[in-house]
C-alpha cells in the first residue's frame, strides 16, 4: 500500500500497486493473462508474510487477482462502489494489505464512511505491522469515529455477520463494525441455519459491545418406530373362521 496523503487517502499509485497496463497488439489476450498471473504472484508474496486461511491456494489466488483487476478498472472509471466490492472480494479470496487498502480508498471515494472505517479497523487488526496501511487506516478512523457508532462484536463460536441485509464479515470471533446513526439490525449466523439478531440504536460517537453465542444445534428427529414383522410361515396360514 502507498503512503497516505494529507486527507488520509491512498494515492493513485496504490490502486495500480499490483497491476501493469497491458500492451496493445496481437498478444493482448496473452498479456492480460500474464497481467493477472503477476497480480496473483504479488498477492502470494503478500500472503507469504501473513498467517491467513487459504494461503497458497492457487485457485483462490487466481480469483483474487481477477477481482483485484476488475476493481482497478472500476476505480479508474470512477465507479467506486463497484471497485470497492471487487477489492473486498479479492481480500476475501486472499487477504492482503493491497486489497484492503484499495477497498478502504474506494469506500471512502464512494462516501461510504461507515464501511470504510469498518475496513480500516479490520486492516489494523489483521496487519498491525504494515506502517503504510496503518497510517491510512488510523486516519480514516480519526476522521469518522465522532460521527459513527462503534460496535465490538464477539461471537462464540465464530460467526458470519450481516448488517442491514448486507454481508459485513466472513467467519470471525471478534469484529469491529462502525454504523451510521439510526436503527440498525445485525445478524450473526452459524452452521445448521442458526442465527441471532441484535438491534442497535446507533448514535454519533457512541459505542457498545455485543456478545453473541450460538443457539444450541437442533437435535435430529428420533428414528421411526420399527415396523411389525410377519413371518413367512404365519403369512401362509389360511384365515381363521
Amino acid at each position: 500500500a502507498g503512503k497516505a496523503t494529507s486527507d488520509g487517502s491512498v494515492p493513485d499509485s496504490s490502486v495500480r500497486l499490483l497491476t501493469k497496463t497491458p500492451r496493445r497488439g496481437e498478444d493482448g489476450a496473452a498479456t492480460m493473462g500474464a497481467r493477472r498471473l503477476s497480480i496473483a504472484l504479488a498477492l502470494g508474496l503478500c500472503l507469504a508474510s501473513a498467517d491467513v486461511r487459504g494461503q497458497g491456494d492457487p485457485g483462490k489466488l487466481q480469483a483474487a487477482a481477477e477481482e483485484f483487476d476488475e476493481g482497478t478498472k472500476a476505480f479508474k472509471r470512477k465507479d467506486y462502489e463497484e471497485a470497492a466490492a471487487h477489492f473486498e472480494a479479492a481480500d476475501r479470496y486472499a487477504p492482503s494489505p493491497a486489497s484492503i487498502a484499495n477497498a478502504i480508498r474506494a469506500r471512502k471515494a464512494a462516501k461510504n464512511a461507515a464501511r470504510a472505517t469498518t475496513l480500516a479497523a479490520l486492516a489494523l487488526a489483521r496487519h498491525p505491522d504494515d506502517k503504510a496501511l496503518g497510517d491510512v487506516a488510523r486516519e480514516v478512523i480519526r476522521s469518522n469515529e465522532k460521527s459513527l457508532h462503534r460496535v465490538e462484536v464477539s461471537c462464540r463460536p465464530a460467526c458470519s455477520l450481516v448488517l442491514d441485509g448486507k454481508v459485513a464479515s466472513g467467519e470471525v470471533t471478534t469484529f469491529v463494525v462502525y454504523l451510521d446513526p439510526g436503527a440498525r439490525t445485525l445478524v450473526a449466523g452459524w452452521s445448521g441455519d442458526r442465527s441471532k439478531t441484535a438491534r442497535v440504536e446507533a448514535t454519533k460517537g457512541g459505542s457498545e459491545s455485543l456478545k453473541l453465542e450460538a443457539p444450541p444445534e437442533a437435535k435430529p428427529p428420533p428414528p421411526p418406530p420399527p415396523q411389525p414383522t410377519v413371518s413367512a410361515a404365519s403369512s401362509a396360514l389360511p384365515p381363521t373362521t
Side-chain angles (χ1 to χ4, degrees):
K3 291 184 179 180
T5 62
S6 59
D7 66 350
S9 64
V10 185
D12 286 346
S13 60
S14 74
V15 178
R16 300 189 299 271
L17 183 65
L18 302 180
T19 65
K20 294 181 180 179
T21 303
R23 295 176 182 175
R24 302 295 179 187
E26 294 180 355
D27 62 344
T31 306
M32 181 62 73
R35 173 187 177 186
R36 286 182 173 170
L37 177 60
S38 70
I39 298 172
L41 291 172
L43 286 169
L45 290 175
C46 292
L47 291 175
S49 61
D51 181 18
V52 295
R53 286 178 291 180
Q55 181 174 348
D57 183 322
K60 289 185 177 180
L61 287 175
Q62 180 64 24
E66 292 174 359
E67 292 286 357
F68 194 99
D69 193 41
E70 292 300 315
T72 301
K73 289 188 285 187
F75 195 96
K76 287 179 177 178
R77 63 175 182 264
K78 299 184 179 181
D79 190 343
Y80 300 124
E81 286 286 355
E82 182 179 340
H86 284 299
F87 286 132
E88 288 189 44
D91 192 65
R92 284 193 296 273
Y93 281 120
S96 73
S99 293
I100 199 167
N102 290 342
I104 292 169
R105 181 169 187 254
R107 290 295 182 192
K108 183 177 178 181
K111 302 191 183 305
N112 188 338
R115 185 60 181 169
T117 310
T118 297
L119 292 172
L122 177 60
L124 288 175
R126 191 200 289 158
H127 306 289
D129 299 326
D130 191 306
K131 184 180 183 305
L133 177 59
D135 289 346
V136 172
R138 280 185 284 271
E139 180 57 33
V140 169
I141 292 172
R142 277 194 296 268
S143 298
N144 297 313
E145 60 185 351
K146 291 183 180 179
S147 62
L148 300 172
H149 188 92
R150 182 182 187 274
V151 181
E152 184 170 350
V153 182
S154 299
C155 288
R156 182 180 174 189
C159 70
S160 57
L161 295 172
V162 174
L163 173 63
D164 292 338
K166 295 182 180 179
V167 174
S169 77
E171 284 199 352
V172 291
T173 53
T174 59
F175 191 76
V176 174
V177 59
Y178 285 85
L179 310 176
D180 289 311
R184 303 293 168 199
T185 302
L186 194 63
V187 179
W190 293 270
S191 61
D193 291 328
R194 293 173 296 161
S195 64
K196 188 167 286 187
T197 300
R199 313 286 181 186
V200 178
E201 198 61 44
T203 59
K204 286 186 177 181
S207 66
E208 63 185 277
S209 297
L210 290 175
K211 294 184 178 181
L212 303 174
E213 189 165 344
E217 292 193 64
K219 293 182 179 179
Q227 296 296 319
T229 58
V230 179
S231 67
S234 62
S235 62
L237 294 176
T240 58
T241 57

